[in-house]
Amino acid sequence: MKRKKQERRTRGIILTIVLLLILFIFVVAGLLNKRAEKKREEAYEQKTLEEAQGVCEEFLNAYQDKDGEMLTRLLWNQGYGEPVEFSEYMKITADHLSYEIGKAKKHKDGSCWVSVEITNLDLPTITELEIEKKTYLKSDSGTALNDFLHLLSDWDTKNLGEMPMKTYKADMLLKEENLQWRIEMTDELSDALLGGYVELYSEVVKELEGAQ
């Protein structure tokens, strides 16, 4: 009788140990699965960030190549509809543009920022050094800025190599469209691509308004 009780007790202990081992295996397996899932998510996140950096590189290369169709395809919300057309001034800035792409960071809303430094012409400084800008600001035609930029685009491009250059910190904003990263044009990016045009435009408009 005692022997049977001992056997039952032994079987109970063995069964408990087996159940604990099974439970332990399930816990370990769960932890390993979570760890593997986290690694897959991190790998996917890294892949998407690298893809965003690649899109930025494609975009800036397209600008250097004056490829308006490619620029439009890479712009968010189908760009401006029609392919980007390069003015004479834009062609000058494209010829002098260089860039360095840094880290990418994804935000909670699904958008992504890529740190980018763009070196290009320093248009505000050029105008102060080379052109009597005020003579154009006195125009009553309302086309003072266009006249000024037309003069700038007609310069002998051989002299532009000596013109002041500036490095613009132009972090690029990307959004997903049809499972693809696309770039949203911002004033910061536009200013860098156009060598300080946005800054100059703002300055000229203020002076024109003050002259009225």
Side-chain angles (χ1 to χ4, degrees):
M1 191 70 176
K2 290 182 179 180
R3 185 175 180 181
K4 289 182 179 181
K5 287 182 178 180
Q6 183 65 33
E7 289 176 354
R8 283 197 298 270
R9 187 180 295 110
T10 301
R11 284 196 299 269
I13 293 172
I14 293 173
L15 180 59
T16 300
I17 293 173
V18 170
L19 291 174
L20 289 173
L21 286 173
I22 293 173
L23 178 61
F24 176 76
I25 291 171
F26 274 111
V27 170
V28 171
L31 291 174
L32 290 175
N33 284 335
K34 286 183 178 180
R35 185 175 180 182
E37 181 64 25
K38 185 177 180 181
K39 285 187 175 181
R40 284 193 294 270
E41 290 177 356
E42 290 175 349
Y44 176 77
E45 183 83 358
Q46 182 62 30
K47 180 176 180 292
T48 59
L49 292 178
E50 289 175 356
E51 289 173 350
Q53 290 170 311
V55 170
C56 290
E57 184 174 2
E58 284 185 81
F59 182 86
L60 294 172
N61 285 343
Y63 191 86
Q64 289 176 322
D65 295 337
K66 309 175 188 68
D67 187 344
E69 291 187 4
M70 177 61 77
L71 288 179
T72 303
R73 285 200 296 270
L74 294 175
L75 283 170
W76 180 67
N77 200 23
Q78 298 181 354
Y80 303 113
E82 297 296 326
V84 175
E85 294 186 8
F86 278 76
S87 66
E88 289 304 311
Y89 174 69
M90 288 176 66
K91 291 177 182 177
I92 293 173
T93 60
D95 287 337
H96 289 79
L97 182 144
S98 61
Y99 64 88
E100 184 174 343
I101 295 177
K103 295 181 179 180
K105 184 177 181 180
K106 195 169 183 180
H107 289 202
K108 292 181 179 179
D109 63 0
S111 64
C112 176
W113 284 95
V114 177
S115 176
V116 179
E117 289 187 350
I118 295 175
T119 300
N120 208 339
L121 298 176
D122 185 355
L123 185 56
T125 299
I126 291 172
T127 60
E128 293 297 330
L129 293 176
E130 302 295 336
I131 293 181
E132 287 295 331
K133 183 176 57 176
K134 291 182 179 179
T135 62
Y136 292 92
L137 299 180
K138 294 176 181 177
S139 170
D140 295 326
S141 65
T143 60
L145 182 61
N146 288 333
D147 292 342
F148 166 71
L149 290 177
H150 180 70
L151 175 64
L152 179 66
S153 66
D154 285 343
W155 280 358
D156 181 0
T157 55
K158 292 181 181 178
N159 294 330
L160 287 174
E162 301 174 359
M163 291 298 168
M165 303 288 285
K166 179 179 177 180
T167 297
Y168 302 83
K169 184 173 175 56
D171 293 348
M172 297 174 71
L173 173 61
L174 295 93
K175 296 182 178 180
E176 280 192 300
E177 184 176 68
N178 299 324
L179 301 179
Q180 298 290 327
W181 286 116
R182 294 291 180 262
I183 293 168
E184 181 171 2
M185 183 58 68
T186 61
D187 286 346
E188 184 182 53
L189 176 58
S190 179
D191 195 49
L193 294 176
L194 297 175
Y197 171 86
V198 175
E199 178 186 343
L200 178 65
Y201 178 85
S202 177
E203 178 187 343
V204 171
V205 168
K206 287 180 181 178
E207 292 193 35
L208 285 172
E209 290 176 348
Q212 292 179 352

